[in-house]
Amino acid sequence: MAAPRKLLNYGDSVRDATFNPANSAQVFVTLESGIIQIRDVASGVVLSNLSVGYDHLRHAPRLLYSPDGTYIATTTDPWRHAEVRLCNTKTAAVLEPIACAQADSFSWISFSPDGTRLLSSSSNAPAQLWDPHTARPILSLEAHINLIEAASFSPDSRLLALGYYDGTVRLWDVSDGNCLAMFTEHTARVTHLVFSADGDILCSAGNDGGVYVRRLRDILPHLPQSKGVQPVSPLL
């Protein structure tokens, strides 16, 4: 067996390492110093350095990678005056998004599957959808303000399901920020949300021990064979 190749030749601690989601010839290495190195896997050469920052407690930044590997969203300690940044891996530009008025509890949640939207959460402000190209908010999901515990975009990126600490699940239209449906079956915080591969079924799980499965064409009025919101029994 061939010996493993060492990419780092000095003592800075590594906080995170992952392959570029769209290019396995590159690896993203996050150092304790607050730098993300983009390295060529074959040669180990540093292609670029990105400064993601770190808090005074030296907590590792929370990292999200866009599906095409172009953007890395970082948050350091979202409960203590977070440093919020959006890094472009192709240009090495590091943007500090505006309108983070609630930065003391701000956190990135996930990219949409098509990479055109980035979801953020705050405990005392509405969730927001951002344009990663400009680091500017596009929509605020104003209908509900509560701590987000689970999130899932539909495979086509048109819908967003959010599960909250209060046990509710809300389904949002990503294009205009409208709340399309609300589900209240859970009696405790929602822990997980997932769409089926075809985007037609939404599954939620919660701390109440319930798992609920909903067929969306039976719930959303504008879809064929709509029957309105129907009660759904938990899976035992």
Side-chain angles (χ1 to χ4, degrees):
M1 180 182 295
R5 183 168 59 256
K6 187 176 182 179
L7 296 183
L8 295 180
N9 294 310
Y10 54 93
D12 200 357
S13 296
V14 175
R15 293 287 192 171
D16 183 80
T18 188
F19 285 101
N20 183 328
N23 181 5
S24 60
Q26 294 178 359
V27 63
F28 302 147
V29 180
T30 305
L31 306 178
E32 188 177 74
S33 58
I35 299 295
I36 293 180
Q37 292 187 339
I38 303 176
R39 286 179 173 261
D40 179 76
V41 172
S43 65
V45 170
V46 177
L47 303 177
S48 61
N49 289 308
L50 303 171
S51 176
V52 299
Y54 57 90
D55 61 33
H56 64 286
L57 296 177
R58 300 186 72 82
H59 289 169
R62 301 184 181 187
L63 306 175
L64 290 176
Y65 303 94
S66 64
D68 65 357
T70 299
Y71 295 100
I72 305 175
T74 72
T75 312
T76 54
D77 196 3
W79 300 102
R80 293 178 179 269
H81 305 289
E83 288 185 73
V84 179
R85 299 182 181 183
L86 193 61
C87 307
N88 188 313
T89 64
K90 298 185 183 301
T91 65
V94 179
L95 303 176
E96 296 188 8
I98 63 170
C100 294
Q102 312 296 334
D104 59 332
S105 58
F106 183 97
S107 183
W108 299 119
I109 302 297
S110 66
F111 281 93
S112 59
D114 63 6
T116 64
R117 296 294 181 265
L118 176 58
L119 173 67
S120 71
S121 172
S122 175
S123 63
N124 50 3
Q128 290 185 308
L129 290 172
W130 298 69
D131 181 350
H133 301 288
T134 62
R136 298 293 189 268
I138 300 171
L139 291 171
S140 291
L141 307 181
E142 299 283 356
H144 194 52
I145 299 176
N146 200 263
L147 190 62
I148 295 174
E149 297 287 339
S152 181
F153 283 93
S154 62
D156 62 6
S157 300
R158 297 173 58 189
L159 301 175
L160 171 63
L162 296 180
Y164 296 90
Y165 183 82
D166 63 7
T168 60
V169 174
R170 292 176 184 253
L171 191 64
W172 304 86
D173 187 327
V174 172
S175 66
D176 58 17
N178 284 333
C179 184
L180 302 175
M182 179 180 71
F183 312 105
T184 59
E185 296 90 358
H186 289 290
T187 59
R189 72 180 182 92
V190 180
T191 57
H192 192 69
L193 289 166
V194 65
F195 283 89
S196 60
D198 61 4
D200 186 45
I201 298 173
L202 175 65
C203 177
S204 67
N207 267 2
D208 56 0
V211 177
Y212 294 87
V213 177
R214 306 167 184 88
R215 189 174 298 277
L216 296 185
R217 67 166 172 263
D218 295 336
I219 294 170
L220 300 180
H222 62 277
L223 293 181
Q225 301 178 355
S226 173
K227 298 179 182 179
V229 178
Q230 301 292 323
V232 182
S233 299
L235 300 178
L236 300 179

